């Protein structure tokens, strides 16, 4: 199978680079400065074993490949807010023997959150979800850093919305030859919602910097507790921290990388690159949406969603808000909801 990595950033670059290193055929899809850097200098993948350059085919869209092959696998690794544009471009692409990519080819959604695969299923017949545990960074064009060892990442796979099949198992076998563990599971959503809960911290890091001191840790715990309450109200199952730790074990240890840029999560990286967008609507915003659907207040996640979007839109510096100020705003948001609730109780509503 040939792997077409749509979005050769942190996740896409790490997956594509490792697949190519293991001898699999890979095409990278990128835009702007990343496209130019990959075209001119190749993909520089910085990992614990050193830095390796992969000279891989790079295209900006399906026109760069002409007719797609029947054995192509599309790996959607763009941020969720860029999903629609990617599907618009790749869905109608013709495939050898007839039909389109949307009709015939498998599409793996290697994205944070849970919305991208749902959007994809409107266009593509064969959609696969991926729960991505892959510590990687992309802040400099052409360079992707992945510090995990001995595994680069753990990528749970499954048919979306549920189930498994032979295609998922074939893809998993290729990934497991490429320094990944790739369990194929019928209940992928349980793993993805657990990952969503951990990703609620992304906005805290993006706005206020590394989650290191006690105030930041305590705030993240409050934000995630709000998420757990929403999932419980919605009847959505998720794997427990104990189950996640049992699966991960010591398979992914972060090792220092020489000259690697300061690491941060995906949202922090978006602000650092000044992209103008961020995925908060599909992380904290997913919790806000479920809270509204099921009558659970989500003031902390709504606050973080709003702040992260403001920082992205105004291209503010990542991590520039003091943690104390963020905690103050969080306390005010919670107090406002409690005051509103108390007023409704007094009025009998």
């Amino acid at each position: 199978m040939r792997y077409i990595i749509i979005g050769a950033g942190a996740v896409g670059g790490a997956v594509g680079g490792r697949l190519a290193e293991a001898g699999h055929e890979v095409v990278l899809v990128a835009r702007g400065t990343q496209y130019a850097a990959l075209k001119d200098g190749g993909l520089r993948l910085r990992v614990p074993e050193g830095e390796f350059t992969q000279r891989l085919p790079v295209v900006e869209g399906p026109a760069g490949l002409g007719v797609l092959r029947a054995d192509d696998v599309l790996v959607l690794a763009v941020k969720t807010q860029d999903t629609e544009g990617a599907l618009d471009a790749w869905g109608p692409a013709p495939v050898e023997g007839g039909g389109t990519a949307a009709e015939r080819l498998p599409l793996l959604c290697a994205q944070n959150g849970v919305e991208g695969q749902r959007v994809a299923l409107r266009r593509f017949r064969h959609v696969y979800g991926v729960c991505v545990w892959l510590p990687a960074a992309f802040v400099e064009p052409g360079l992707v850093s992945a510090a995990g060892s001995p595994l680069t990442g753990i990528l749970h796979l499954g048919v979306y919305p549920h189930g498994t099949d032979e295609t998922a198992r074939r893809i998993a076998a290729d990934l497991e030859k490429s320094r990944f563990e790739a369990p194929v599971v019928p209940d992928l959503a349980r793993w993805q919602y657990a990952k969503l809960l951990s990703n609620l911290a992304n906005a805290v890091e993006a706005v206020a910097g590394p989650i290191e001191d006690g105030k930041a840790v305590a705030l993240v715990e409050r934000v995630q507790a709000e998420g757990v309450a929403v999932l419980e109200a919605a009847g959505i199952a998720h794997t427990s921290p104990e189950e996640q730790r049992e699966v991960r074990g010591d398979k992914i240890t972060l090792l220092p990388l020489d000259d690697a840029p300061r690491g941060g999560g995906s949202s922090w990286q978006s602000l650092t690159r000044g992209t103008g967008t961020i995925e908060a609507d599909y992380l904290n915003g997913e919790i806000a949406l479920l809270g509204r659907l099921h009558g659970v207040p989500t003031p902390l996640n709504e606050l973080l969603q709003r702040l992260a979007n403001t920082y992205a839109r105004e291209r503010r510096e990542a991590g520039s808000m003091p943690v104390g100020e963020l905690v103050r705003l969080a306390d005010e948001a919670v107090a406002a909801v409690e005051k509103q609730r108390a007023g409704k109780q007094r009025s009998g509503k």
Side-chain angles (χ1 to χ4, degrees):
M1 295 184 289
R2 180 174 68 169
Y3 291 89
I4 299 175
I5 310 295
I6 304 170
V11 170
V15 171
R18 284 304 204 187
L19 282 168
E21 181 185 88
H24 301 289
E25 192 174 358
V26 173
V27 176
L28 302 177
V29 182
R31 301 175 298 178
T33 58
Q34 178 69 341
Y35 170 80
L38 295 173
K39 194 78 172 174
D40 294 342
L43 171 66
R44 296 162 54 207
L45 182 60
R46 188 170 289 162
V47 291
E49 311 94 79
E51 181 175 309
F52 305 93
T53 299
Q54 298 281 354
R55 296 281 183 171
L56 303 172
V58 186
V59 299
E60 293 180 290
L65 293 174
V67 178
L68 300 182
R69 293 178 1 196
D71 66 349
D72 281 339
V73 175
L74 306 181
V75 180
L76 187 64
V78 299
K79 296 290 193 298
T80 304
Q81 65 268 25
D82 297 321
T83 296
E84 291 277 4
L87 298 176
D88 285 344
W90 288 89
V95 179
E96 62 183 6
T100 66
E103 294 168 326
R104 294 186 55 197
L105 299 184
L107 177 76
L108 269 70
C109 295
Q111 301 170 292
N112 285 333
V114 296
E115 182 65 13
Q117 57 204 7
R118 183 173 182 273
V119 173
L121 197 61
R122 293 179 184 272
R123 318 279 190 89
F124 278 73
R125 289 179 183 170
H126 310 291
V127 175
Y128 298 79
V130 185
C131 181
V132 180
W133 286 342
L134 200 177
F138 162 52
V139 295
E140 176 186 333
L143 174 64
V144 171
S145 299
S149 179
L151 293 179
T152 299
I154 299 177
L155 307 172
H156 283 73
L157 306 179
V159 176
Y160 182 77
H162 48 74
T164 65
D165 66 9
E166 184 58 29
T167 298
R169 287 186 282 272
R170 289 178 61 201
I171 294 168
D174 285 351
L175 289 168
E176 292 192 340
K177 297 173 185 174
S178 309
R179 292 183 182 266
F180 294 99
E181 184 171 293
V184 178
V185 296
D187 57 345
L188 182 67
R190 291 178 62 246
W191 298 93
Q192 291 180 315
Y193 277 102
K195 179 70 173 3
L196 172 65
L197 291 174
S198 68
N199 284 146
L200 299 180
N202 288 20
V204 175
E205 181 185 53
V207 170
I211 301 168
E212 295 172 345
D213 69 18
K215 288 187 292 186
V217 171
L219 176 59
V220 167
E221 290 174 349
R222 293 167 63 193
V223 171
Q224 292 174 337
E226 197 175 83
V228 169
V230 165
L231 295 186
E232 289 178 351
I236 295 174
H238 56 90
T239 54
S240 67
E242 294 75 22
E243 187 174 359
Q244 295 173 63
R245 283 195 294 270
E246 183 178 349
V247 169
R248 292 180 188 178
D250 57 358
K251 299 170 185 175
I252 303 177
T253 299
L254 300 187
L255 300 180
L257 302 178
D258 293 341
D259 301 321
R262 178 262 185 211
S266 56
S267 298
W268 180 91
Q269 293 172 39
S270 292
L271 292 184
T272 299
R273 296 199 310 276
T275 61
T277 65
I278 200 165
E279 59 189 338
D281 284 346
Y282 304 98
L283 301 177
N284 307 92
E286 181 70 24
I287 296 302
L289 169 63
L290 289 171
R292 292 164 189 154
L293 289 172
H294 297 279
V296 179
T298 58
L300 298 176
N301 280 281
E302 290 177 32
L303 170 69
L304 289 171
Q305 179 186 6
R306 183 170 66 252
L307 288 174
N309 279 319
T310 299
Y311 267 55
R313 184 174 58 252
E314 298 179 358
R315 289 178 165 78
R316 298 188 190 179
E317 181 183 354
S320 56
M321 177 179 287
V323 173
E325 173 65 9
L326 180 57
V327 171
R328 183 187 68 79
L329 293 173
D331 290 341
E332 288 181 353
V334 171
V337 168
E338 292 175 347
K339 181 178 180 181
Q340 183 181 43
R341 181 184 295 172
K344 288 182 178 180
Q345 290 175 341
R346 285 195 298 270
S347 65
K349 295 183 179 179

